[in-house]
Amino acid sequence: MEDKVAEIFRSLRTQAAAYCTALVKWLVLAIIVGVLSGVVGSLFHHGVDHVTELRGEYPWLIYLLPLAGLVIVALYKGTKTEGQGTNDIFDAVRQGKPVKFLLLPAIFFGTIITHFFGGSAGREGAALQMGGVLGYHSGKLFRLDGQDLRTATMTGMAAFFTALFGTPVGAAVFAIGVISVGTIYHAAMIPCLAASLTAFGISQLLGVEPTRFAVDVPPLDAKMVVFVAVFAVLCALLSVIFCETMHFTGHQFSKRFPNPWIRAAAGGFVIAALTAVLRTNDYNGAGMDVIASAVEQGTAHPAAFLLKLIFTAITLAAGFKGGEVVPSFFVGATFGCVVGPLLGIPAGFAAAIGLISVFCGVTNCPLASIFLAVELFGDGGLLYFAIACGLSYMLSGYSSLYSSQDILYSKLKDTLLK
């Protein structure tokens, strides 16, 4: 009997030591990755903001966009990272593929150049790539094994996303859920959350304001629930259109302009021409000011969501750098301003619902979308956001912004697709 009790205690001590060792290991790594992501992310955030201001002061810079495209092509060729992007980070997590460190400076400066000269792109594509690189190579320094390297990569993704947007919980849940839809990497939750909170603190110390919107949420009402549900169905359709437009435009540009130099110059010329014709720079850069106006003031041009989609699809298809998530925010928010009031939803609130619903539809991440909505808009409209995200996820089919994203389970019943 005594031997059995002693054996149980030895087993408990062994398990406790293993858990404590793992916790300490991940907390140390998360803090390191969080600090690095917070510092680099803050520099990147301020850099994008600064060049956006300069572009506003010197609107003629848009006419240099074709030349900027050539510089980006040269940058990627010089760093030997041509063709690499967010999908490679996903492959690093799911398949354990290596990630080149030089992808970090390539996407950092490539995105800055894109925003400086007026390309239409977001920032989160750069965040996932730079964060993934920092997480992966930090894990290599710690001599982590293959599976732990994947967790380290997700840790960097979450931390860098937080450094730019100030949404630690949404970023952590997004990082562990976006790679393989239907599978959540629960073991990565604490590392991702710890890194996100560290990056959040560092970015605030370095003057990065978290992204927040003031929105008036209508009282909970059965009629409003129905209106929001109908609007979410329309957002699901818009999500499909968004993804298919991005993929179709990318395919067509690659097919018609196989030479990357010509492709970049041609895309830059088209964006510059469209900007000149429309006589506005609302659709250049990320467009965060337009998003804020849509959500907080309920105002947007009726065709803004279509024009932003066109600008973004051409920009990224031509080889300029950035991401699609902030443009999806723009498209959803401005779409809400137009369609929401027709359904009886206040324009500003419809913009918030549209922003999060389209994001959910294009990324296939309903839980992350709900957390993100609470961090961006507050918890007053939690039930509305949950309904909208659930319907947008279910009805957006299997389209995705990311070709390397695995959708493992059916959206209609609990069965494996693969």
Side-chain angles (χ1 to χ4, degrees):
M1 183 67 178
E2 291 181 1
D3 290 343
K4 201 166 188 178
V5 171
E7 184 180 343
I8 291 173
F9 273 104
R10 280 196 300 270
S11 176
L12 289 174
R13 282 199 301 270
T14 301
Q15 290 181 32
Y19 283 118
C20 289
T21 301
L23 180 60
V24 171
K25 174 184 73 177
W26 286 121
L27 287 179
V28 171
L29 180 72
I31 291 171
I32 292 172
V33 173
V35 170
L36 291 173
S37 297
V39 172
V40 179
S42 297
L43 291 173
F44 179 71
H45 180 279
H46 291 308
V48 170
D49 280 355
H50 183 61
V51 298
T52 300
E53 291 175 7
L54 286 175
R55 192 186 69 245
E57 295 176 16
Y58 305 103
W60 52 265
L61 287 168
I62 186 68
Y63 298 111
L64 299 179
L65 188 60
L67 293 177
L70 300 181
V71 173
I72 292 173
V73 173
L75 175 63
Y76 270 72
K77 284 189 174 294
T79 54
K80 301 187 185 306
T81 54
E82 310 104 293
Q84 295 192 23
T86 305
N87 288 317
D88 295 276
I89 302 300
F90 282 26
D91 289 340
V93 174
R94 194 174 55 252
Q95 302 171 21
K97 292 185 176 179
V99 179
K100 289 185 177 180
F101 183 79
L102 288 178
L103 180 60
L104 191 154
I107 188 64
F108 186 106
F109 291 108
T111 304
I112 294 271
I113 292 169
T114 296
H115 282 259
F116 188 29
F117 293 96
S120 175
R123 298 173 294 179
E124 95 302 329
L128 296 180
Q129 292 174 50
M130 287 189 279
V133 170
L134 288 172
Y136 177 86
H137 285 279
S138 295
K140 292 285 282 185
L141 290 175
F142 273 66
R143 298 183 179 180
L144 300 182
D145 61 26
Q147 190 58 52
D148 282 351
L149 271 178
R150 301 176 189 188
T151 300
T153 304
M154 286 185 278
T155 299
M157 292 165 59
F160 214 105
F161 195 105
T162 299
L164 296 187
F165 293 99
T167 54
V169 179
V173 177
F174 180 70
I176 66 176
V178 70
I179 309 295
S180 300
V181 178
T183 297
I184 294 179
Y185 297 88
H186 290 95
M189 184 63 196
I190 289 300
C192 286
L193 187 57
S196 292
L197 290 171
T198 303
F200 182 56
I202 295 294
S203 64
Q204 286 198 304
L205 286 175
L206 296 177
V208 177
E209 292 292 329
T211 303
R212 299 290 185 268
F213 299 101
V215 58
D216 292 326
V217 179
L220 190 59
D221 174 77
K223 189 191 307 186
M224 185 58 66
V225 168
V226 173
F227 292 159
V228 168
V230 172
F231 179 58
V233 173
L234 298 178
C235 288
L237 176 60
L238 182 59
S239 301
V240 176
I241 294 171
F242 190 101
C243 291
E244 294 305 316
T245 300
M246 298 298 296
H247 296 318
F248 175 79
T249 308
H251 175 73
Q252 289 300 311
F253 261 71
S254 296
K255 180 180 177 181
R256 296 179 183 278
F257 306 107
N259 185 304
W261 304 94
I262 296 175
R263 183 163 64 244
F269 176 80
V270 173
I271 294 297
L274 286 173
T275 303
V277 169
L278 294 172
R279 296 183 179 181
T280 178
N281 62 0
D282 282 352
Y283 312 109
N284 307 111
M288 289 299 294
D289 54 339
V290 177
I291 296 171
S293 295
V295 174
E296 297 182 343
Q297 300 173 25
T299 58
H301 189 281
F305 69 97
L306 287 175
L307 290 169
K308 185 62 175 179
L309 176 54
I310 292 169
F311 269 69
T312 304
I314 293 172
T315 296
L316 298 180
F320 292 91
K321 302 303 172 181
E324 304 95 338
V325 164
V326 173
S328 79
F329 287 177
F330 186 117
V331 169
T334 53
F335 179 72
C337 281
V338 176
V339 177
L342 300 178
L343 296 173
I345 307 173
F349 181 59
I353 294 290
L355 182 155
I356 209 64
S357 297
V358 173
F359 170 78
C360 180
V362 300
T363 61
N364 297 296
C365 293
L367 294 180
S369 299
I370 294 169
F371 282 115
L372 193 65
V374 171
E375 290 180 306
L376 292 176
F377 308 116
D379 61 359
L382 176 59
L383 181 59
Y384 290 124
F385 292 129
I387 292 170
C389 289
L391 286 170
S392 183
Y393 169 75
M394 180 181 181
L395 300 177
S396 59
Y398 302 100
S399 297
S400 173
L401 283 181
Y402 313 112
S403 60
S404 287
Q405 184 182 53
D406 258 350
I407 301 181
L408 300 175
Y409 283 85
S410 168
K411 291 189 176 184
L412 304 179
K413 54 185 177 181
D414 189 19
T415 57
L416 278 167
L417 293 174
K418 300 180 181 181

